[in-house]
Amino acid sequence: GLRKQLKRRQQMLWVWCLCLFFIVISTVLVIQHASFRRSVDWFFYDMMLRHKPAVIENQVAVIEIDDKSIIALGRWPWSRTVHAQLVEKVAEQQPKSVFLDILFTEPSAAHADDALAKAFKKSNNVVLPVLLAPKHGSVLDLSDLSNIDVYDPIPLLSQAVVVGHVGNQPDWDSIIRNTQMNLQVDGRALYNVMALMAKTQPADNHLLIPYRGEAGQFQHYSYIDVLEGRISPLAFKDRYVLIGASASG
């Protein structure tokens, strides 16, 4: 009797162990299958972009805060009166929209902030980024929007522009393939700056980024050359203008 009971319990234990084993294996296979499919999709997407014919994009122009400009204008940050002068120069050519990839979350000299605000109002088509920062930890994770603080440009400037986010979540291989058009943070809708520049909001919130190819697919201009008028007077006419840093250091 006792021996049979022990044997039956051992058999039941083996059955439960086998069931648990198959459940674990099945779960792992399901997860791996999803990851595998996603990896295959990404592989073919990457291949498609690599073999896509290079097309020079004429609708977009890039103004670089480059080493040449740093040498000419001195150490960063520059006075906001300098940015005001640049915005006015660009606005004269009637671009469709202008995005400054520069954070203005803290005030500077009052006259400089005032000059930049006036330039933004006169241009009437400037987009600025907000700063997204994690409340806890040091890594920004867009999958956990409750852990994100938003820092806007100072009110004087915010009132003269449209603000949006530039946040992107890399895939597991550290490559950014898609972007979110709308982030809901603390009950507030933050739209992607590219959508704000184009004045459109796609129906799909997650969009794959259609990379144009290697560097050189967009026309680039040095900040100092634009500031000092060493470019064509029609360089930015009816174009989307992106202003940001490329300088080393």
Side-chain angles (χ1 to χ4, degrees), residues 56-244:
I56 300 299
E57 178 54 73
N58 291 318
Q59 293 189 73
V60 177
V62 179
I63 299 176
E64 297 182 71
I65 300 170
D66 54 6
D67 290 320
K68 175 181 175 181
S69 302
I70 295 289
I71 292 172
L73 296 171
R75 291 181 58 184
W76 187 267
W78 301 327
S79 169
R80 291 178 185 173
T81 57
V82 176
H83 297 311
Q85 293 170 30
L86 183 92
V87 170
E88 290 172 353
K89 289 274 188 181
V90 174
E92 289 173 359
Q93 299 194 15
Q94 299 179 322
K96 287 183 178 178
S97 186
V98 179
F99 170 56
L100 275 80
D101 192 13
I102 303 172
L103 294 172
F104 297 112
T105 54
E106 296 180 352
S108 68
H111 74 282
D113 289 343
D114 186 58
L116 187 55
K118 288 179 179 177
F120 287 161
K121 288 179 182 177
K122 185 177 179 181
S123 179
N124 196 36
N125 61 357
V126 175
V127 179
L128 290 181
V130 298
L131 171 63
L132 301 179
K135 294 178 181 177
H136 309 289
S138 58
V139 178
L140 182 67
D141 182 5
L142 296 185
S143 66
D144 183 12
L145 297 179
S146 63
N147 187 41
I148 292 178
D149 278 325
V150 180
Y151 298 91
D152 285 87
I154 61 172
L156 181 64
L157 302 182
S158 293
Q159 294 165 8
V161 301
V162 178
V163 299
H165 81 86
V166 292
N168 291 299
Q169 189 81 7
D171 294 321
W172 64 271
D173 55 359
S174 300
I175 296 175
I176 296 175
R177 294 182 178 86
N178 66 81
T179 187
Q180 288 182 245
M181 292 293 101
N182 179 8
L183 297 178
Q184 295 288 333
V185 183
D186 291 333
R188 174 186 178 187
L190 286 173
Y191 295 99
N192 188 285
V193 295
M194 297 299 107
L196 294 174
M197 289 188 72
K199 296 180 173 63
T200 184
Q201 186 61 31
D204 191 350
N205 192 37
H206 291 265
L207 292 185
L208 287 170
I209 300 172
Y211 287 107
R212 292 293 185 179
E214 300 295 330
Q217 305 309 311
F218 301 98
Q219 283 189 287
H220 288 240
Y221 301 86
S222 175
Y223 188 109
I224 188 64
D225 287 342
V226 178
L227 188 66
E228 297 185 350
R230 294 194 293 267
I231 61 166
S232 165
L234 298 176
F236 308 126
K237 175 71 174 176
D238 294 327
R239 301 175 81 182
Y240 299 101
V241 179
L242 312 179
I243 305 171

